[in-house]
Structures are given as structure tokens and as C-alpha cells.
Amino acid sequence: MSQHIAKPRTTAVILAGGTGQRVGLSIPKQLLKIAGKAVIEHTLTTFENAESIDDVIVLMAPGFAPDIEKIVAKAGFTKVKKIIEGGSTRNETTERAISALREGLAEGEDPNVLFHDAVRPLLSQRVIGDCVAALERYRAVDVAIPSADTIIVTRTHGEDGEFITEIPDRSRLCRGQTPQAFKLSTIRRAYEIAAGDPNFQATDDCSVVLKYLPDVPIHVVAGDEYNMKVTQPVDVFIADKLFQLASTAAPERQGEDAYRDLLTGRTVVVFGGSYGIGKDIAELAESHGANVYALGRSTTGTHVENPEEVDDALSKAYAETGRIDYVVNTAGVLRIGRLAETDNATVEEALKVNYLAPVQIARSSYKYLAETKGQLLLYTSSSYTRGRAEYSLYSSTKAAMVNLTQALSDEWAGDAIRVNCINPERTATPMRTKAFGQEPTGSLLSSETVARTSLDVLLSELTGHVIDVRQQDPTADAATASGFEQALATVLDRQDGM
């Protein structure tokens, strides 16, 4: 009779002992804000959401542990069990982590441990999962990516400066990242042996195993290009931009029965519901049992740019159904032309409909969504990533929707209100046809595809995300790479072909 063997506990140790001197900061770089949150908060969020991680220990720079305690308390991280001051060196910090990990262990227990740099906030769930899976077979695991640069070895010759002495074969060179993963007994033993070496000094933990436990193989898991380390001033800028442009794959498609279970008796208010994506969302939600209010200028006479009409529409929906669970705004205008030649009325219309209206809808929706712990869904355009000539009004207001989404998701997190933003590729809607005329069949997304993905997002637990809906992936499969993954993969493909 076979016995069930429990999986070993897996702890993530976040190494946050850096001081920020290399990026010219007076505070540790892990407390620097990127995309509205401290770098370490992004990192902790990743491990909080990782199914394979049971708990988290933070090793923080001396004197700054209270800052982490505040971040953990505000964000509601449940996996962070200990916050400990790090040592004066990387070696000492790891030793303190090992000591903390040994506390309370049952006899014979040998948990997994992942050491990760706090200043690598773009770590993917895939890498975490691969590391934990590798520990089922190996006792030490590193994460690395091939070096895209030629590496040179230099030597200083007095006042003449640096000279190349060797150029190693690039095909065998990789750039190490974190996490680095171990069975606790392995990394503990490596440090015990290293302690007897008076010249012991290491900048990472795999090198300690490699030197002091040479018979232990160190398996390598494929890392990611975007798992960058925020070390230099330019890294701060790059990481901030990656977060700004990051998009998320749509959640898994719900079945028809699930749609009905989740929507029956719920109230959905759709601004811009007269035609196109908004109309399709309204019809889809209503067909699965929701109370739907599809509002639009041409059907209900609702002008989203008028705050009083927005208030009245929401008040009416609440009075008639006793709740508002989801508020969607697909209303928008597309005006193309050179800004210097655009009249005041057109500028005012674009700003009122594309920017001020979503702001007002958000303000008016807040009290209703706080009551139901509901969701606000906004829409952007692929032009938000970079404005182009003659689209200045449209691109800039659509970029604002992304920032509004990210800001409100943080602001309303304490009220359990979710806020997300849909970024559809070119879609066949009346607004687009009016601007560009008839386009080749099959070159555009259908508004029904965008509507169904929108409904999947509304019924998900996502918040603060920009969700791409693309022509090449109309089902928006949950396994799709995120926006910056796709962008970086494209760049790499181009480099490989040059």
C-alpha cells in the first residue's frame, strides 16, 4: 500500500539589504516607487500570488524593517511571516535567513527555499514554478538567460588603462538572475563549510554551493529578459516603463453555465451601450440573466460628458434593482487631425467624452461598487503606448485611461473594488468605420470577441490590469504572454535575425 508523501514547504526569502547608493538615493532602492508602488511591494505581490510558495521572509536593510511592515499591512500580504534586518554583507544576510528558516522545523523536515533579489520586481510566475518543480529532482537551482552581449576579460596596465586579455565563447555564457533555489539542508551545509574558510566571500548563493559542495549539481532554469535588476539609474526608468506598458492575458474563458451563475441577478451598467462593443457586452450579459442598463446618446439620450446624466443613470439602475455590480464605459470619440488646425469645440468634445466622462463615471460609481465589491471596466487603445501624428487628442486620452485604471485600483483596493482596462487591437466598430471607412474582411477584431473577453474580465478577480485582446488570439487564452513579454520577444527575434 503506497503512502502519500506531502510536498515540502516552500519559502521565498526576499533579499532586500541594498542601500540604493548606486542609483543615487538616500533610501534603499527597494523602497523606491515604480508604477506607483515600492519596488519591493511589486516583488512581494508576485510571491503572494504564487501558488507554489507557502510563506515569505524578508531580509531588509538595517533600520528600514518598519517600512516593510507598513507595506505588508497595507497590502494585506498574508504569506509574509517574518521581517528581519539583514547583515552588513550578502553572506551574513543569507546566514540570518538560514537561521530563521531552521526555527520550528520538525525532525527530518527539509523545506525548499528560494532566494530572490527584492529589486527584481518583474519576476514571472513561470520562473517561480519552474524553480520549485526543479527542486523535486535537484538540490540546487539557478536561473539564467543567454548573454546577448560579447563578454570581454580585461586587465589594467598602469596608467594606460584597460586592455582585453580574453574574449570567451559567448555561446557558453549566461547571465545569472534570481531566484536561486535550494533544499534548505544543502544551502545550510554549504554555508557551514564556507564558514571555515577565512577568505570566504560570495555575491550569490549558487557560487557557495559550487565552491564548497562541488559534488552537488546545480540545475539551470531558463530566466526571462524582463526579470531585470534595478541597480543603475537607467534601470529605474526602464522598470517603470515596463510596468506602465505591461498588459495581462485575459482570464480563462467561462462556460455558459458559469456565466449564468455569476450574472443572474447582478446589475450591469454600460455607458456607450448603443452600438459596437458596449452593445455586445449588454446583450451578452442580459442573455445570461443580468439586469442590464445599456446607455447611449442615440438610444437612451444619455450624454456621458454630462455629470448629472451619469448620476441619474446610475441612481435609476440602483433604485430599480437595489444594486450595481459592474460599470462599463465604452463611450468614446475618435477625432483625427493636426492639433494646430483643430477647433476648440473638437478639442473640448474629445477631452469631455474620452477623459472627463470616465473620471465622472468612476466618481459616481464608487459608492455603488463599494457596496457590492464590484468592478469598473474602462477601455484604452493600442495607441496609448506611443502617440502619433494627427492622433494627439485620442492617444493622450487613451493613455490617461491606463493611468486612471492603475491609480484607482490602488485607491479602491481597501474597498475591494476592482478596476481594469481593456486594450483591444483594431476592432470593427461603427466609430472605426466612420473614421476609416470599410477595411478588408478579417483584418479587424469583431466587437463580439472584445465583448466576451470584457465579460470574462468583469467576472474575474483581476484588478489594476491592462488586458490585451488581439487579432491573432481571439480567444484571449490565459496562457498568452503578457504585453511586455511579447514586446521583448519580438525585439529578441529581430536581433537573432540580424
Side-chain angles (χ1 to χ4, degrees), residues 216-244:
V216 174
I218 302 174
H219 180 68
V220 178
V221 162
D224 285 313
E225 281 286 346
Y226 57 89
N227 185 18
M228 61 178 292
K229 187 176 183 179
V230 178
T231 302
Q232 303 296 336
V234 69
D235 299 332
V236 176
F237 173 79
I238 294 171
D240 192 69
K241 287 300 177 184
L242 285 174
F243 271 111
Q244 181 186 11

Side-chain angles (χ1 to χ4, degrees), residues 200-267:
F200 171 50
Q201 195 170 22
T203 58
D204 74 291
D205 300 305
C206 278
S207 65
V208 181
V209 173
L210 182 66
K211 183 173 182 179
Y212 298 102
L213 293 177
D215 293 333
V216 174
I218 302 174
H219 180 68
V220 178
V221 162
D224 285 313
E225 281 286 346
Y226 57 89
N227 185 18
M228 61 178 292
K229 187 176 183 179
V230 178
T231 302
Q232 303 296 336
V234 69
D235 299 332
V236 176
F237 173 79
I238 294 171
D240 192 69
K241 287 300 177 184
L242 285 174
F243 271 111
Q244 181 186 11
L245 302 180
S247 57
T248 302
E252 188 173 349
R253 176 72 28 98
Q254 301 282 351
E256 295 302 309
D257 291 342
Y259 283 136
R260 185 161 295 280
D261 289 343
L262 293 167
L263 285 168
T264 297
R266 303 296 193 272
T267 299

Side-chain angles (χ1 to χ4, degrees), residues 429-461:
T429 62
M431 182 177 77
R432 185 173 180 89
T433 301
K434 182 178 179 180
F436 300 104
Q438 291 297 325
E439 297 176 85
T441 304
S443 65
L444 304 177
L445 275 171
S446 69
S447 60
E448 293 87 352
T449 295
V450 181
R452 187 167 286 274
T453 298
S454 299
L455 202 60
D456 291 330
V457 173
L458 282 176
L459 301 179
S460 76
E461 294 302 314

Side-chain angles (χ1 to χ4, degrees), residues 10 22 44 53 94 106 109 115-116 121 123 127 147 155 165 175 178 183 271 299 309 354 408 413 423:
T10 300
R22 278 184 287 182
L44 290 172
I53 299 299
T94 301
E109 186 179 359
F115 292 99
H116 184 68
L123 175 66
V127 171
S147 175
R155 181 174 296 172
T165 60
R175 288 155 47 203
T178 63
K183 302 303 292 185
F271 292 96
T299 52
E309 293 184 21
N354 291 351
L408 287 180
N423 177 30

Side-chain angles (χ1 to χ4, degrees), residues 10-30:
T10 300
T11 299
V13 174
I14 309 303
L15 300 170
T19 61
Q21 291 179 350
R22 278 184 287 182
V23 288
L25 298 173
S26 58
I27 61 172
K29 55 193 172 183
Q30 54 271 23

Side-chain angles (χ1 to χ4, degrees), residues 69-226:
E69 292 170 358
K70 291 177 183 177
I71 289 172
V72 170
K74 182 178 179 181
F77 294 134
T78 60
K79 291 184 179 180
V80 179
K81 304 303 182 185
K82 294 180 181 179
I83 300 169
I84 306 168
E85 285 198 349
S88 58
T89 65
R90 171 64 179 264
N91 304 350
E92 186 181 343
T93 297
T94 301
E95 288 168 353
R96 290 188 182 187
I98 293 171
S99 177
L101 287 164
R102 296 179 65 181
E103 294 176 6
L105 285 183
E107 185 177 352
E109 186 179 359
D110 192 12
N112 299 329
V113 55
L114 275 64
F115 292 99
H116 184 68
D117 297 324
V119 288
R120 291 187 187 270
L122 292 163
L123 175 66
S124 72
Q125 295 294 341
R126 193 271 302 168
V127 171
I128 295 174
D130 286 355
C131 285
V132 176
L135 286 175
E136 295 177 10
R137 182 175 179 183
Y138 304 99
R139 304 190 65 80
V141 179
D142 204 353
V143 173
I145 57 174
S147 175
D149 297 316
T150 296
I151 305 299
I152 62 173
V153 179
T154 66
R155 181 174 296 172
T156 302
H157 290 271
E159 297 180 355
D160 293 331
E162 299 280 331
F163 293 84
I164 294 176
T165 60
E166 184 183 355
I167 301 179
D169 180 3
R170 189 177 71 179
S171 66
R172 300 185 61 206
L173 297 176
C174 290
R175 288 155 47 203
Q177 300 182 330
T178 63
Q180 292 184 332
F182 310 91
K183 302 303 292 185
L184 178 57
S185 61
T186 298
I187 190 66
R188 185 182 68 204
R189 181 57 181 155
Y191 269 87
E192 285 173 351
I193 298 172
D197 181 355
N199 299 316
F200 171 50
Q201 195 170 22
T203 58
D204 74 291
D205 300 305
C206 278
S207 65
V208 181
V209 173
L210 182 66
K211 183 173 182 179
Y212 298 102
L213 293 177
D215 293 333
V216 174
I218 302 174
H219 180 68
V220 178
V221 162
D224 285 313
E225 281 286 346
Y226 57 89

